Amino acid sequence: MTKIVIVGDVGGCAEQLARAVGSFMDEPDTVVIQVGDLVDRGPDSPGVLAFVRERLEAAPSRWIQLIGNHEAPYLGGEPFWPEPLGEPEAALLRSWWLKERLRVAAAVRTAEGEELLVTHAGLTVAAWRGLGAPVTAGTAADLLNTRPEELLWSYDGPLWAEAAPVYSSWLTDREPLPFSQVHGHSTIVSFPHRRWMCEERIRQRASVDWQARHTVTRIGGGRFLGVDPKHGTRGAPTWAPLVLDGAELLV
C-alpha cells in the first residue's frame, strides 16, 4: 500500500506543477500519476518537460506519465495546436514514447477496494467495448497500453473524448460501470464562474470541489472523477491533485 497522487492537466504551467507535487516527492512511498497534457497553452512547456524528465530519470517507479491529446501530435496523431513545440521538446516526447515512459493508462485500487482506471479523457461505452469489454481496471489499462491505434487516435477515444459525452454514453446505454474512472482533459463545470456545463441528468449525479477543482459523478454503481483544473494560460488560482492514501498501483 502507498499514497498515490493523481495530477490533472498541466498545460505548460511549470510553476503550478512544481508546487502541486513538490512536498509529495519527499515521501518515499508516494507515486505520482500525471494524466497527460503536459504542454501547450501555458507559459513554460519546456519547463514542464524538464521537471518531468528529472522525475522519470531519478525515480521512474514513482512517476507514472500518461499521454494526453496535446502530446499525441508528436507521437503519431494529427497536428492541431497552432504553436508547436521546439524540436528538442518534441524529440524528448518521442524518446519517452519509444522507451515506454509514456503510457496510455494506469490502474489503481483504493484503500476501500475500489478499482480506478486512469486515462487522459476517460472511456466511453463504445471505447470500452472496443477493448473487448474488460471487467477490471487493471485489464483495461493493460489493453490500452498495447496502444490500439484506431482507438488511440480517435476523437471518441481515451485521449480526446469530452467528459459529458463520456458520462452520457454510460447513462444512455445503461451498462453498469465495470470500474470507476479518473480522467483529465475536460470537465462538466466552469471553475472560474462556478457554473455547470452539462445536462441535468449528469448534474443530478455530480458534486464539485471548487477549491481543489475536482468533480465526482456517480453512474451505474461506479463513479467518474474529473481532475482537469483548467489552468488556461496563467494557471488556476487554487487547485490540488487527487490524493489516495493507502492505495495500490495495479499497472
Side-chain angles (χ1 to χ4, degrees), residues 16-251:
Q16 283 80 359
L17 175 61
R19 286 200 301 268
V21 303
S23 62
F24 295 113
M25 299 314 295
D26 296 329
E27 302 174 7
D29 293 329
T30 296
V31 174
V32 173
I33 302 174
Q34 202 285 319
V35 303
D37 275 13
L38 292 169
V39 301
D40 296 339
R41 192 176 282 110
D44 192 8
S45 291
V48 171
L49 294 177
F51 182 91
V52 173
R53 180 181 60 199
E54 290 178 5
R55 273 70 196 165
L56 288 175
E57 291 176 354
S61 63
R62 295 184 56 212
W63 190 284
I64 309 300
Q65 184 59 56
L66 304 187
I67 175 180
N69 62 303
H70 280 263
E71 286 77 50
Y74 305 99
L75 309 173
E78 291 294 325
F80 70 95
W81 194 252
E83 300 173 0
L85 294 174
E87 179 52 31
E89 289 74 35
L92 182 61
L93 288 174
R94 289 194 295 269
S95 73
W96 288 349
W97 190 239
L98 289 171
K99 296 174 182 177
E100 298 187 348
R101 289 187 171 183
L102 278 177
R103 307 183 193 184
V104 180
V108 173
R109 182 180 292 117
T110 69
E112 295 75 28
E114 180 183 24
E115 288 197 6
L116 305 172
L117 176 70
V118 189
T119 62
H120 180 62
L123 280 186
T124 63
V125 170
W128 172 72
R129 287 179 177 150
L131 284 177
V135 297
T136 70
T139 301
D142 281 342
L143 291 168
L144 287 168
N145 284 327
T146 67
R147 304 176 181 179
E149 291 286 325
E150 184 175 352
L151 180 61
L152 200 58
W153 309 130
S154 166
Y155 284 106
D156 295 321
L159 303 186
W160 283 96
E162 294 290 312
V166 170
Y167 304 171
S168 290
S169 74
W170 292 91
L171 284 171
T172 300
D173 196 274
R174 298 188 178 181
E175 179 78 51
L177 202 62
F179 39 76
S180 294
Q181 298 190 41
V182 183
H183 68 86
H185 182 60
S186 63
T187 186
I188 55 174
V189 298
S190 168
F191 290 115
H193 302 100
R194 297 205 170 197
R195 186 174 67 235
W196 293 88
M197 300 191 301
C198 60
E199 57 186 305
E200 185 62 23
R201 64 175 180 167
I202 294 175
R203 179 175 176 172
Q204 291 173 351
R205 293 167 170 82
S207 60
V208 187
D209 183 333
W210 297 104
Q211 192 76 8
R213 296 195 170 204
H214 299 163
T215 64
V216 179
T217 306
R218 298 184 180 278
I219 296 174
R223 55 184 187 150
F224 286 90
L225 296 90
V227 297
D228 180 6
K230 291 297 177 186
H231 281 305
T233 58
R234 299 183 179 181
T238 62
W239 71 292
L242 175 65
V243 179
L244 304 173
D245 286 307
E248 177 185 2
L249 186 68
L250 300 179
V251 177

